[in-house]
C-alpha cells in the first residue's frame, strides 16, 4: 500500500534521535483536504447514476450510524461504494477516480497542508499520507503534492484485471492507521530505525496515530478530538 507548514513544524531539530528516520504522517480527509472524499465520491456516483437505490440506502444507513459512533464494518461500506466499479477493468476505474480527484478533490486540497508537507520534506522527513479513502484517489493527489508515500484502502483486483468489491487487507481506519504506519516504518527503515515525529489529524478516530507521535497536530478538530487535544496539550491548527 505504500509508494515510493506550520510555524511549529520548522522548530523541530534537524537530526532524528540517533540518526533515525523521521516520519511525518498526514491524514487525508478533513485534514489535508476540506471535506471527505468518500462522501464526495458517493455524491458524484449518484450524479452519474452509478449506484443502485438499494445500495445507496444502505450507504446512507451506514453513514447515519457512523455519525452516532456506533460500531461499523468499514470494509462492508467500501464494498457497497465499489459496486459501481465491480467487474470493470482496473485501469478504467483508476482513470475515473483520477478524474474525480481532479474535478472534486483538487480544489479543496488545503494550501496549509501542502505547505506543511513541503516543510517536512525539505527538512528531510519522510512524508506519508494515510487514509481510509480509495488508493487511486491518493495516488492522484501524490502527483501534485509534496509527498512520496501513501497508505490507503486498496480494493482487490480479480485475476482478469477487473475490480471486485472486496477490500484487500483492512481499511486504513482508526487503530489500523497506526498499525499501518508501524508496518511501513519497519519495512522501509527496519524496526527501531525510525520515529513517528509528527502526525496531523482532524477526527477522533485519528487519536491512536496522534498519540504515538512526538508532535501531534489536531487540524480543525471535531469536538471529541478537540477535547483530547486540550487534555494532552497537542497543538491545534485552524486550517
Amino acid at each position: 500500500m505504500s509508494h515510493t507548514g506550520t510555524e511549529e513544524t520548522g522548530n523541530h531539530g534537524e537530526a532524528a534521535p540517533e540518526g533515525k528516520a523521521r516520519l511525518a504522517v498526514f491524514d487525508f480527509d478533513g485534514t489535508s483536504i476540506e471535506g471527505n472524499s468518500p462522501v464526495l465520491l458517493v455524491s458524484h456516483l449518484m450524479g452519474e447514476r452509478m449506484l443502485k437505490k438499494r445500495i445507496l440506502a444502505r450507504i446512507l444507513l451506514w453513514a447515519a450510524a457512523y455519525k452516532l459512533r456506533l460500531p461499523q464494518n468499514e470494509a462492508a461500506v467500501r464494498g457497497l461504494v465499489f459496486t459501481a466499479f465491480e467487474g470493470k477493468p482496473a485501469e478504467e476505474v483508476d482513470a475515473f477516480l483520477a478524474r474525480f480527484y481532479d474535478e472534486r478533490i483538487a480544489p479543496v486540497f488545503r494550501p496549509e497542508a501542502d505547505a506543511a508537507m513541503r516543510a517536512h520534506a525539505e527538512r528531510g522527513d519522510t512524508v506519508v499520507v494515510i487514509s481510509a479513502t480509495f488508493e487511486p484517489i491518493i495516488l492522484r493527489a501524490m502527483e501534485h503534492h509534496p509527498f512520496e508515500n501513501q497508505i490507503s484502502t486498496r480494493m482487490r483486483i480479480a485475476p482478469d484485471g477487473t475490480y471486485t468489491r472486496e477490500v484487500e487487507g483492512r481499511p486504513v481506519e482508526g487503530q489500523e492507521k497506526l498499525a499501518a504506519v508501524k508496518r511501513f516504518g519497519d519495512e522501509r527503515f527496519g524496526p527501531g530505525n525510525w520515529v513517528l515525529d509528527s502526525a496531523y489529524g482532524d477526527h477522533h478516530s485519528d487519536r491512536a496515530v496522534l498519540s504515538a507521535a512526538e508532535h501531534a497536530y489536531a487540524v480543525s478538530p471535531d469536538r471529541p478530538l478537540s477535547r483530547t487535544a486540550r487534555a494532552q496539550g497537542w497543538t491545534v491548527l485552524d486550517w
Side-chain angles (χ1 to χ4, degrees), residues 21-214:
R22 291 188 304 255
L23 268 59
V25 174
F26 289 76
D27 170 56
F28 190 69
D29 294 300
T31 302
S32 300
I33 69 168
E34 180 86 27
N36 184 293
S37 60
V39 171
L40 291 170
L41 177 59
V42 169
S43 174
H44 187 67
L45 294 174
M46 287 173 56
E48 297 292 324
R49 300 184 182 277
M50 294 175 63
L51 286 174
K52 295 180 180 178
K53 290 182 179 180
R54 61 181 178 82
I55 295 294
L56 180 58
R58 292 172 63 186
I59 293 172
L60 294 176
L61 284 173
W62 183 95
Y66 182 82
K67 286 185 177 180
L68 294 173
R69 301 176 202 164
L70 299 176
Q72 294 293 304
N73 186 326
E74 297 288 345
V77 72
R78 283 154 182 79
L80 289 173
V81 175
F82 246 66
T83 59
F85 306 120
E86 186 176 17
K88 295 183 179 180
E91 184 176 340
E92 175 185 318
V93 175
D94 291 350
F96 177 94
L97 291 174
R99 290 193 300 273
F100 161 75
Y101 174 86
D102 293 344
E103 295 170 10
R104 302 290 298 273
I105 306 300
V108 296
F109 200 103
R110 285 174 162 154
E112 299 92 341
D114 189 88
M117 291 176 185
R118 196 173 304 281
H120 279 290
E122 288 176 352
R123 63 188 281 265
D125 297 348
T126 298
V127 180
V128 185
V129 166
I130 184 163
S131 177
T133 199
F134 300 110
E135 186 178 59
I137 295 173
I138 304 298
L139 292 178
R140 186 63 165 179
M142 194 161 64
E143 296 179 22
H144 301 284
H145 296 280
F147 65 97
E148 296 182 352
N149 309 276
Q150 66 87 28
I151 309 168
S152 55
T153 300
R154 177 179 292 173
M155 302 303 288
R156 189 178 304 280
I157 298 175
D160 65 357
T162 62
Y163 267 115
T164 71
R165 54 185 294 182
E166 298 177 2
V167 174
E168 188 173 302
R170 295 181 178 180
V172 186
E173 174 76 19
Q175 289 283 346
E176 180 59 21
K177 286 186 176 181
L178 180 57
V181 168
K182 290 179 177 178
R183 290 194 297 270
F184 171 86
D186 288 348
E187 291 171 4
R188 174 66 65 88
F189 303 106
N193 294 328
W194 61 278
V195 295
L196 178 51
D197 181 85
S198 303
Y200 297 75
D202 72 296
H203 193 260
H204 59 270
S205 62
D206 296 321
R207 284 178 179 138
V209 70
L210 290 172
S211 296
E214 294 184 4

